[in-house]
Amino acid sequence: MGALTSSETVFAKQQKVENMAASTGALPLLQKAFSKFADSETHAIPIENLQKYFSFAREGRNYHTYNATYSFPVLLDHLGSSLVDQFFISDANGINWVEFVKGYNKCCSRVSASIFLNKFIRVFVDVR
């Protein structure tokens, strides 16, 4: 048996992450989002753009809730870029298709990650 070539290894990695995303039903949505946001020349999403898309920034928004302190809106301002930095790996051109799907899988396809994020926000609100 021969060793896998580089392109076969890349295809195998791509197939693995796509299968995981497909099991959640999100693959068509991810494909549509990537094709919409990726640069046509580099075939990657610039990391700054992905941070902007994930942004919870409160420009022009007011938060009027009983339990929210000033710190919580500040947390929301930085949450989007922190999520991108935590879950997506970028190269010089940005985030390519495989890394985009891998980031989705790390962030959203596993229930444990979303449960952790929800608990983190609840703890932050309860402690403040």
Side-chain angles (χ1 to χ4, degrees):
M1 295 204 169
L4 290 176
T5 66
S6 177
S7 61
E8 289 172 329
T9 303
V10 169
F11 179 73
K13 286 181 183 179
Q14 180 176 339
Q15 192 171 29
K16 181 179 177 181
V17 298
E18 286 177 349
N19 287 342
M20 183 180 282
S23 71
T24 68
L27 189 59
L29 180 63
L30 292 172
Q31 290 168 328
K32 184 176 180 179
F34 189 82
S35 67
K36 181 177 180 180
F37 298 127
D39 182 272
S40 60
E41 292 180 20
T42 62
H43 302 290
I45 301 173
I47 192 160
E48 300 83 16
N49 290 3
L50 195 60
Q51 288 172 337
K52 183 179 76 174
Y53 303 141
F54 275 88
S55 176
F56 289 91
R58 57 190 168 99
E59 298 171 16
R61 297 182 202 162
N62 292 319
Y63 293 104
H64 299 289
T65 62
Y66 179 73
N67 290 332
T69 64
Y70 176 75
S71 301
F72 188 69
V74 172
L75 173 72
L76 290 179
D77 287 345
H78 299 284
L79 186 59
S81 62
S82 296
L83 287 172
V84 171
D85 292 342
Q86 179 69 36
F87 294 110
F88 296 92
I89 297 174
S90 175
D91 62 18
N93 294 324
I95 300 165
N96 64 34
W97 168 246
V98 172
E99 292 301 328
F100 181 69
V101 179
K102 281 172 68 175
Y104 167 82
N105 289 338
K106 287 190 285 185
C107 179
C108 302
S109 72
R110 294 191 175 99
V111 174
S112 60
S114 61
I115 289 173
F116 176 75
L117 182 59
N118 285 325
K119 285 182 180 181
F120 170 73
I121 291 172
R122 283 187 197 142
V123 167
F124 184 83
V125 169
D126 289 343
V127 169
R128 293 314 231 140

